[in-house]
Amino acid sequence: MSIVIGIILIVSIILLAIYCIKGYNLMVGMAIMATLFTVLALIGNIFTPNASMAGQSIQDVLTYVYQTGPANWSSSILVYIFFGAFFGRVLIETGIASTLIRKTVELGGDRPGLTMTLLSIITAVIFTSMTGAGPVISIGIIVLPILLSLGISVPVALFSFMGSIMAGMHGNILLFNQFIAMFVSLRPEAAEYTYQMNFPFGITCFFIALVIVNIVANVALRKSKKVRTWAAVSSDAGQTNAPWYSWIAVILPVVGVMAFNIPIILGFLIASLYALITCGKIKGGFVNVTRMLQKQFTDGAIDTAPLIGFLLILAMFNNSAVYVAPYFQALFGNLIPDNPFVLCLVFGLISLLGYFRGPMSLVGCGAAILAIFLSAETVLPVAFLYPLFSCVTLTVQHLDMTQSWVAWGIGYTKVDTKQFMKIAIPTGYVISIICCLLVYFMRGSLVA
Amino acid sequence: MDFDDDIQLADIVKELSAVDDVSWGLYAFSRDRYREKVSEEDKLSLIKEAIAIGQEEARRISAEFGSSDPSEIARVLKLRIDSSAIQQQKGRIVFATFSYPDLITLMSEPISRALSSDEVRELISEEEIRNLMIGHEIYHVLEERRPALHTSDRKVVLWKFLGKEHTGTLGAPSEIAASSFTKTLNSSSFSPLILDIMLYWGYNREDSYNLYKEVIKFYKNGNCEKR
């Protein structure tokens, strides 16, 4: 029976991948999957007792999936996302993000390749602290027209921008908290694995991704044809440059966590306050200032609303994956390599399956695969598994059409999707393989 | 005056038709990524020079080819003219592109959206819009093929380090000359840059109105200063 349910689960994951590829709503897809996993686990438990359901009533199981999942996720992660989104809004509204970009363009001058590379670096740095479709769009509508006005072709410009965001995400503190929460729900001791512990690995991946994205973008730039564009552009005349000393606000949250061990929410608040003060936005009396702060928080919440909806449902899916883990275990339990090098190599080689929210993506079917690993008899340490799972997801997910802001970028630039994917997929694959091998070199010794 | 739904495009266009080319040039300059690096005096000088170069080149090319029909000139220059459907990008609407070495692409959606409005159809025809766009892009072709046209190599100092200057090329003179070129070629009574407002109207009336206000501000400031 366990084998049959295991096969049905695999088929359902394949169907989910097809569902994703066809571009249907992911939040609804994940809700269906969470329900399917739960129902299959409950049916399986009737025939063969399921160890993960031991001592639990049906109500307990339903509560764990539909209540505990989103509730725990909300209490541990949602707050980070809201405050991160608030900080993102502050960087945009103070003009710090756009000033950094304009100054970067001046630094690069007439050399499109150099300007593109510099913009890539600054974009990656900005997205070590920010995430969400709102901030990406706010930065994208500044960066992309600049790249296009330099005569850079649309696929190369979009790839450079999205690739830079992907690189930044490897050091992103919000995404670390989001992913580690998935580990904690399945193995509570994962809570001891902190952002600081992961930082040496994350920052190395950041540089690897940034270097490879820029090599590929610059090679593609040389091959592409120069384009001139006549476009009507809405006014930005009212936008002034943010003072130079305000620019460090971008990295303050990460610096605060790394250097002073400040809680990240406080880090976001301090950085936001610093940005608002240095840019002269704290003015006009108490009432006006509070109104402005309220607006930034509201706009930030709106920016991340679709993401939060999806992640709340994903939390249900993650918890349902706990109950079906024994069936995956029955199918694949003995297939998980215990040699760290082989495991890292296999992860790298099959990382392509992370595209379209496939089984190698933690924000897709990969949540179920994670459950298998965390419940496997071979106990692999979180300090090894977290980098392995996260580096693949962070790389492929942020170059994938199913990522909300990549989909936005494709629509915004009207790029030929195939042209974009022809650059993005192979590059993501190479970065994933290198990062997976890096896991072996940096963390392989932790596996007994 | 702030935007309201009673504002008519015809009234805006009528007012914009009276705007001089230098004011349109200042509007074009306000989109240049290095605009802050150029003094107002230099801006005016560059704008006037670009307008003159565009006009002169249009007369030269008409005389040389015996035609001022942009499609005919494009044919003689062995250019391919294509059209592409494109939607609005946030805060930015693309009208036409020139891909080196020989492809002009006209975006069909802004034209069709604009012409779906009775207000716009009464002011301009599809052929006029297409000719203005093709003429504009032809100038960029000529700029590429004739180094003597200096509008695409105007430099500005971006920064200095240890006595070494790092320069960047201004984009506005090239765009201003292209507009001047197509205006002269098509014997248009108004600046082709008026299309920025007319075609934007089909997507977002308030943004279009804000563009109009920008242009009028340059125009009024210019009149005060008696350029």
Side-chain angles (χ1 to χ4, degrees):
Chain A
M1 190 64 189
S2 295
I3 300 288
V4 174
I5 292 178
I7 291 169
I8 296 172
L9 291 169
I10 297 298
V11 171
S12 71
I13 288 174
I14 294 168
L15 290 175
L16 177 66
I18 294 168
Y19 177 93
C20 294
I21 293 166
K22 286 189 174 287
Y24 294 125
N25 185 284
L26 284 168
M27 190 175 79
V28 174
M30 284 299 167
I32 294 168
M33 286 296 282
T35 304
L36 181 68
F37 276 24
T38 308
V39 169
L40 284 172
L42 286 169
I43 292 170
N45 191 43
I46 295 169
F47 295 98
T48 314
N50 182 334
S52 57
M53 285 186 181
Q56 294 185 30
S57 65
I58 292 178
Q59 283 80 2
D60 290 337
V61 171
L62 295 178
T63 303
Y64 183 70
V65 173
Y66 294 101
Q67 183 70 30
T68 312
N72 282 354
W73 182 83
S74 301
S75 65
S76 59
I77 303 302
L78 190 61
V79 286
Y80 296 128
I81 293 184
F82 272 137
F83 283 97
F86 167 69
F87 174 63
R89 268 287 133 196
V90 167
L91 285 187
I92 289 157
E93 296 296 329
T94 51
I96 290 174
S98 56
T99 304
L100 277 171
I101 290 162
R102 279 200 298 272
K103 294 295 171 191
T104 306
V105 172
E106 285 176 18
L107 203 62
D110 274 350
R111 283 169 284 183
L114 176 63
T115 306
M116 182 172 70
T117 303
L118 293 171
L119 279 175
S120 168
I121 293 167
I122 205 73
T123 302
V125 170
I126 286 173
F127 282 98
T128 55
S129 293
M130 298 206 303
T131 185
V136 171
I137 293 169
S138 302
I139 302 293
I141 60 173
I142 304 168
V143 170
L144 288 168
I146 289 172
L147 292 176
L148 297 176
S149 73
L150 289 168
I152 295 168
S153 71
V154 177
V156 177
L158 185 64
F159 166 74
S160 168
F161 180 60
M162 293 302 170
S164 311
I165 294 171
M166 178 270 288
M169 293 303 176
H170 280 283
N172 191 289
I173 197 160
L174 286 167
L175 288 184
F176 172 83
N177 284 317
Q178 180 188 319
F179 291 158
I180 200 67
M182 297 172 74
F183 283 71
V184 174
S185 68
L186 296 160
R187 196 188 282 178
E189 65 268 27
E192 291 164 19
Y193 187 68
T194 62
Y195 176 76
Q196 288 92 327
M197 290 174 178
N198 191 61
F199 189 77
F201 174 78
I203 204 69
T204 312
C205 289
F206 169 97
F207 284 115
I208 289 171
L210 196 57
V211 168
I212 293 176
V213 162
N214 278 290
I215 290 171
V216 172
N218 276 282
V219 169
L221 175 64
R222 288 184 187 178
K223 289 182 182 172
S224 65
K225 289 177 181 172
K226 194 176 162 192
V227 178
R228 298 206 51 152
T229 304
W230 178 7
V233 183
S234 60
S235 175
D236 65 347
Q239 200 158 45
T240 53
N241 282 334
W244 63 267
Y245 45 85
S246 69
W247 301 349
I248 58 164
V250 170
I251 54 164
L252 276 186
V254 172
V255 170
V257 170
M258 290 305 300
F260 306 107
N261 208 20
I262 290 174
I264 185 59
I265 292 177
L266 182 60
F268 281 135
L269 289 175
I270 291 172
S272 301
L273 198 60
Y274 176 78
L276 290 166
I277 291 170
T278 52
C279 291
K281 298 289 180 186
I282 304 287
K283 63 181 180 186
F286 180 75
V287 174
N288 276 337
V289 170
T290 51
R291 195 176 291 145
M292 179 269 294
L293 291 173
Q294 181 65 54
K295 185 178 184 308
Q296 310 292 7
F297 201 90
T298 307
D299 288 348
I302 293 168
D303 286 341
T304 51
L307 177 73
I308 288 166
F310 168 72
L311 292 174
L312 283 168
I313 300 293
L314 187 66
M316 292 180 193
F317 178 70
N318 291 340
N319 277 21
S320 71
V322 172
Y323 292 122
V324 295
Y327 305 108
F328 283 121
Q329 178 75 26
L331 277 183
F332 301 114
N334 297 326
L335 297 179
I336 296 174
D338 49 12
N339 180 306
F341 178 75
V342 175
L343 192 55
C344 292
L345 186 64
V346 169
F347 255 67
L349 292 175
I350 64 170
S351 59
L352 271 180
L353 298 176
Y355 282 101
F356 301 104
R357 310 261 173 183
M360 293 302 288
S361 170
L362 285 175
V363 282
C365 304
I369 307 298
L370 177 66
I372 300 171
F373 272 82
L374 293 180
S375 60
E377 285 172 14
T378 311
V379 179
L380 295 164
V382 173
F384 174 80
L385 277 183
Y386 177 84
L388 193 57
F389 270 91
S390 67
C391 75
V392 174
T393 299
L394 288 167
T395 304
V396 299
Q397 184 56 43
H398 295 109
L399 291 174
D400 186 16
M401 282 165 61
T402 64
Q403 181 65 29
S404 59
W405 56 73
V406 175
W408 166 82
I410 288 169
Y412 179 74
T413 56
K414 291 286 137 197
V415 71
D416 179 343
T417 311
K418 280 184 189 162
Q419 277 185 310
F420 172 72
M421 296 311 269
K422 261 188 345 197
I423 310 175
I425 289 182
T427 309
Y429 188 43
V430 170
I431 294 170
S432 292
I433 292 173
I434 294 173
C435 290
C436 285
L437 292 175
L438 183 72
V439 175
Y440 170 72
F441 289 112
M442 291 183 76
R443 303 289 168 86
S445 60
L446 298 175
V447 181
Chain B
M1 186 172 73
D2 288 333
F3 176 77
D4 68 56
D5 289 336
D6 294 334
I7 289 168
Q8 300 294 310
L9 180 64
D11 296 334
I12 290 175
V13 169
K14 190 179 171 189
E15 203 174 338
L16 289 173
S17 300
V19 172
D20 62 283
D21 287 343
V22 174
S23 298
W24 281 109
L26 285 166
Y27 160 76
F29 234 114
S30 71
R31 268 59 184 161
D32 196 295
R33 60 181 179 274
Y34 301 139
R35 59 185 178 272
E36 291 167 11
K37 300 285 177 184
V38 187
S39 69
E40 291 305 309
E41 192 182 26
D42 286 347
K43 264 184 209 169
L44 286 176
S45 165
L46 286 165
I47 289 167
K48 286 173 184 171
E49 184 190 49
I51 291 168
I53 290 173
Q55 288 169 343
E56 193 184 320
E57 187 63 8
R59 290 187 203 106
R60 190 192 68 77
I61 211 89
S62 297
E64 187 181 329
F65 291 5
S67 171
S68 51
D69 175 5
S71 297
E72 174 61 15
I73 293 169
R75 192 187 62 75
V76 177
L77 288 169
K78 296 192 170 79
L79 300 175
R80 293 176 292 143
I81 299 176
D82 199 0
S83 69
S84 169
I86 196 160
Q87 293 165 359
Q88 181 199 20
Q89 303 166 348
K90 190 178 178 185
R92 186 171 187 263
I93 299 171
V94 176
F95 297 158
T97 63
F98 166 54
S99 307
Y100 292 82
D102 62 358
L103 177 64
I104 292 173
T105 306
L106 305 181
M107 303 304 164
S108 55
E109 192 191 86
I111 301 174
S112 61
R113 279 184 84 129
L115 293 171
S116 68
S117 154
D118 293 340
E119 279 180 286
V120 177
R121 273 202 310 277
E122 285 170 15
L123 298 165
I124 195 165
S125 70
E126 181 175 352
E127 190 184 2
E128 283 176 283
I129 296 174
R130 287 176 60 88
N131 282 341
L132 285 169
M133 288 182 176
I134 294 169
H136 181 105
E137 299 307 325
I138 285 175
Y139 181 80
H140 291 315
V141 177
L142 296 170
E143 222 175 14
E144 189 69 11
R145 296 185 185 178
R146 293 191 62 218
L149 293 172
H150 286 300
T151 45
S152 63
D153 59 4
R154 294 298 179 201
K155 305 277 185 191
V156 63
V157 177
L158 299 176
W159 46 269
K160 293 176 187 172
F161 185 68
L162 299 174
K164 189 178 176 343
E165 287 185 343
H166 185 67
T167 59
T169 305
L170 291 166
S174 170
E175 295 306 318
I176 295 164
S179 291
S180 170
F181 174 84
T182 195
K183 180 183 176 184
T184 308
L185 198 67
N186 288 289
S187 305
S188 176
S189 58
F190 50 79
S191 168
L193 289 170
I194 209 170
L195 291 179
D196 281 18
I197 289 95
M198 287 174 83
L199 300 196
Y200 220 121
W201 190 261
Y203 291 90
N204 186 322
R205 291 179 175 211
E206 189 168 355
D207 281 356
S208 169
Y209 182 72
N210 288 335
L211 293 179
Y212 147 81
K213 282 206 303 187
E214 266 189 84
V215 177
I216 291 300
K217 195 174 166 189
F218 285 123
Y219 180 52
K220 287 182 176 166
N221 286 348
N223 280 344
C224 292
E225 290 161 12
K226 294 189 182 356
R227 286 193 281 264

